[in-house]
């Protein structure tokens, strides 16, 4: 009887597909990200920044390979036109795409460093502070180093500037 009891028929477990929406979490600087990374599929080089109120559609998020082209395009546009509002919009969009995909790499640091440099050239001290703060957090949290001496100098300059 015990042998018969141990030979219960195998119950096949069905996996139900749940269509749960990704949970959004505020990162602390007003940026909302999904609790699960998005894997981007967009091939658009340019994309305007918009504040997320729900998890983004992966078709609107650019993967790192496209974001590298986007960064190069923004830098070239800045050199040619010095259009800060365009550069700021595009860089924030690049940062957002990296954030929602939970990308942490030297490229992320490069994006924040580029944004900080352009913000400084445009006298946008508030955005410079935001970029440097995020850059330092990424460096410290993930052990990724960038242009440390250059940004140490920027930190000194920020300390002597009046607070806004």
């Amino acid at each position: 009887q015990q042998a018969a009891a141990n030979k219960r028929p195998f119950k096949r477990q069905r996996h139900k597909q749940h269509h749960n929406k990704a949970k959004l979490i505020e990162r602390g600087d007003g940026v909302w990200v999904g609790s699960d990374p998005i894997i981007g599929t967009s091939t658009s080089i340019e994309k305007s920044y918009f504040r997320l109120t729900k998890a983004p559609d992966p078709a609107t998020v650019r993967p790192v390979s496209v974001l590298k082209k986007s960064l190069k395009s923004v830098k070239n546009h800045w050199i040619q036109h010095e259009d800060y509002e365009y550069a700021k919009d595009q860089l924030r969009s690049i940062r957002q795409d990296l954030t929602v995909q939970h990308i942490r790499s030297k490229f992320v640091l490069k994006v924040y460093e580029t944004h900080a440099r352009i913000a400084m050239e445009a006298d946008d001290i508030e955005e410079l502070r935001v970029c440097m703060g995020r850059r330092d957090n990424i460096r410290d949290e993930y052990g990724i180093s960038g242009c440390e001496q250059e940004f140490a100098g920027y930190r000194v300059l920020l300390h002597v500037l009046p607070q806004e």
Side-chain angles (χ1 to χ4, degrees):
Q1 284 183 343
Q2 191 169 4
N6 288 337
K7 291 187 179 182
R8 292 185 184 154
F10 176 75
K11 286 190 175 183
R12 180 181 241 177
Q13 293 183 352
R14 292 186 184 179
H15 296 282
K16 295 180 183 177
Q17 288 190 355
H18 296 283
H19 297 287
N20 294 337
K21 292 184 179 181
K23 195 166 88 177
L24 288 179
I25 301 167
E26 186 172 15
R27 193 177 68 195
D29 56 356
V31 176
W32 290 82
V33 297
S35 56
D36 297 318
I38 302 291
I39 299 173
T41 61
S42 175
T43 57
S44 297
I45 301 296
E46 291 185 11
K47 178 179 125 180
S48 289
Y49 172 80
F50 58 93
R51 187 167 298 279
L52 293 176
T53 57
K54 62 181 180 175
D57 178 353
T60 66
V61 177
R62 298 163 293 179
V64 173
S65 60
V66 175
L67 293 172
K68 287 180 179 182
K69 293 174 187 173
S70 298
L71 181 61
K72 185 175 183 178
S73 174
V74 171
K75 288 162 73 172
N76 288 336
H77 191 273
W78 174 251
I79 290 167
Q80 293 173 1
H81 304 285
E82 291 190 12
D83 180 352
Y84 180 63
E85 290 307 313
Y86 172 84
K88 180 179 176 180
D89 177 66
Q90 292 299 304
L91 288 163
R92 289 179 77 191
S93 180
I94 291 169
R95 289 169 33 198
Q96 184 177 63
D97 283 358
L98 290 165
T99 300
V100 299
Q101 294 178 93
H102 298 198
I103 307 293
R104 295 291 180 257
S105 67
K106 195 156 183 103
F107 177 67
V108 176
L109 213 58
K110 184 176 182 178
V111 169
Y112 278 96
E113 289 177 347
T114 299
H115 197 166
R117 288 181 191 108
I118 291 174
M120 186 170 53
E121 286 184 39
D123 293 325
D124 187 348
I125 303 306
E126 182 180 334
E127 194 71 13
L128 172 61
R129 288 182 197 281
V130 168
C131 290
M132 287 190 56
R134 254 331 261 149
R135 177 206 173 274
D136 291 347
N137 290 342
I138 291 166
R139 184 202 61 215
D140 295 344
E141 191 172 340
Y142 298 99
I144 303 168
S145 62
C147 300
E148 300 309 317
Q149 291 178 336
E150 175 185 359
F151 280 84
Y154 297 158
R155 266 189 295 288
V156 169
L157 289 174
L158 284 176
H159 285 298
V160 298
L161 287 174
Q163 295 287 331
E164 293 181 7

